[in-house]
Amino acid sequence: MSAPRLEIDALTVRFGGLAAVDDVSFAVASGTVHGLIGPNGAGKTTMFNLISGLVPPSAGAIRLDGERIDALPSWGRARRGLARTFQNIRMFQDMSALETVMTGMHSRLDESLPAALLRMGGFRKAENEALAKAWELLAFVGLADAAHRRSGDLPYGDQRRLEIARALALEPRLLLLDEPAAGMNPSETLALEALLEKLKAQGLTILLVEHDMHFVMRLCDEITVLNFGRKISEGAPHMVRADPVVVEAYLGAKVARSLEAPQ
Ligand SMILES: Nc1ncnc2c1ncn2[C@@H]1O[C@H](COP(=O)(O)OP(=O)(O)OP(=O)(O)O)[C@@H](O)[C@H]1O
Ligand SMILES: [Mg+2]
């Protein structure tokens, strides 16, 4: 059997006395959407920071397609195909939407400008290809009309989709999404769900943090639940939402019942 796309192995990080992630292990199979859920402060964003290299682990290992990545810097992980979005949107407000997408691209990481300038023809070709690709991604997330608008002026839901387009520009092997539906209205959330379904159909592997449980339960193949930094449950959505430990720690009986109901 091939290695999982992502393997989290006994991962721990301590901030002072607090173990924000405490001996957590799970695996994300290639081509699946894997949910990471739990109450506020459970350690979900910290897990993303560990995976993407913003926070060094205190113990444990992280493997991407079987290869240890936990000692690599963030850019080294990006180069290996790890892309993410942030719970609090992070991008250059003054760039156009089109430019924002282009900041996510491989060519920017792989090719130094002087080297590119030495072979001008190749550079122009690469630039043109990058531009075409950026347009394609904007269209894919439904933002082609906003290409020349200032990123910071876009409505919140559009900024969230722009962040996804920028992450996709890396052509990731694994995409980490931290609360992509947060702050979206119901119709924006439905559009986002359709977008993620399309990415899933294309075979992209996604690790998803999200509090909208209907959204999570419909999209995910597998879910891992954290509470106070520890893994408390794991399995298929219908198993996890019926797990008394998860109902007690996070969902509450009312939400759990609403998830049982046909939608
Ligand atoms: N850099 C840091 N230094 C100290 N404590 C931190 C740091 N980052 C996170 N924490 C703490 O770690 C715990 C987990 O936080 P984290 O942001 O990972 O939670 P979360 O599951 O993403 O919550 P939410 O659903 O509210 O986004 C919290 O108690 C938080 O205060
Ligand atoms: Mg968080």
Side-chain angles (χ1 to χ4, degrees):
M1 224 184 82
S2 61
R5 176 60 33 104
L6 176 74
E7 197 177 359
I8 302 297
D9 185 6
L11 203 61
T12 296
V13 68
R14 287 184 203 92
F15 299 120
L18 173 86
V21 168
D22 191 359
D23 196 25
V24 173
S25 299
F26 66 94
V28 178
S30 183
T32 63
V33 178
H34 192 113
L36 186 64
I37 65 170
N40 296 122
K44 307 178 297 294
T45 297
T46 303
M47 178 59 78
F48 272 21
N49 289 341
L50 287 163
I51 297 168
S52 59
L54 299 184
V55 166
S58 308
I62 306 169
R63 294 185 189 83
L64 188 65
D65 289 325
E67 184 196 5
R68 285 281 295 259
I69 60 165
D70 43 273
L72 296 174
S74 283
W75 60 266
R77 301 184 201 196
R79 182 172 282 196
R80 278 166 183 73
L82 194 76
R84 74 171 289 183
T85 65
F86 291 88
Q87 184 168 353
N88 303 306
I89 296 172
R90 289 190 194 181
M91 53 192 179
F92 299 109
Q93 303 271 305
D94 283 332
M95 280 186 181
S96 72
L98 194 63
E99 288 166 333
T100 298
V101 176
M102 290 179 80
T103 62
M105 286 187 181
H106 255 309
S107 55
R108 304 286 161 142
L109 298 168
D110 287 348
E111 198 166 24
S112 76
L113 190 62
L117 285 171
L118 278 174
R119 23 179 226 87
M120 241 344 206
F123 181 63
R124 287 224 183 82
K125 185 163 173 284
E127 280 286 296
N128 286 335
E129 279 170 13
L131 202 59
K133 178 81 189 161
W135 274 106
E136 201 182 296
L137 284 166
L138 279 180
F140 181 74
V141 301
L143 289 174
D145 289 347
H148 296 302
R149 290 186 60 192
R150 185 178 171 276
S151 299
D153 290 341
L154 296 177
Y156 188 77
D158 289 358
Q159 290 195 25
R160 285 241 167 249
R161 281 182 296 148
L162 180 57
E163 245 204 331
I164 294 174
R166 182 184 60 182
L168 291 174
L170 193 75
E171 295 178 356
R173 284 198 257 182
L174 174 66
L175 176 61
L176 311 178
L177 298 175
D178 197 350
E179 301 198 21
M184 284 189 170
N185 64 38
S187 69
E188 285 175 324
T189 304
L190 276 179
L192 176 69
E193 193 177 324
L195 185 70
L196 298 188
E197 284 288 1
K198 262 198 267 179
L199 291 171
K200 185 176 171 177
Q202 290 175 7
L204 184 65
T205 311
I206 298 174
L207 182 59
L208 172 72
V209 167
E210 184 48 62
H211 284 291
D212 182 331
M213 281 304 111
H214 292 281
F215 185 88
V216 165
M217 297 289 163
R218 283 196 296 257
L219 266 173
C220 292
D221 301 291
E222 179 97 5
I223 295 173
T224 299
V225 190
L226 298 181
N227 190 33
F228 293 117
R230 298 194 69 96
K231 183 170 91 173
I232 58 165
S233 185
E234 186 166 60
H238 69 278
M239 300 295 288
V240 162
R241 73 181 179 224
D243 183 343
V245 175
V246 180
V247 175
E248 162 82 26
Y250 180 44
L251 296 177
K254 194 164 160 232
V255 169
R257 269 198 307 278
S258 80
L259 292 168
E260 302 284 341
Q263 288 160 43

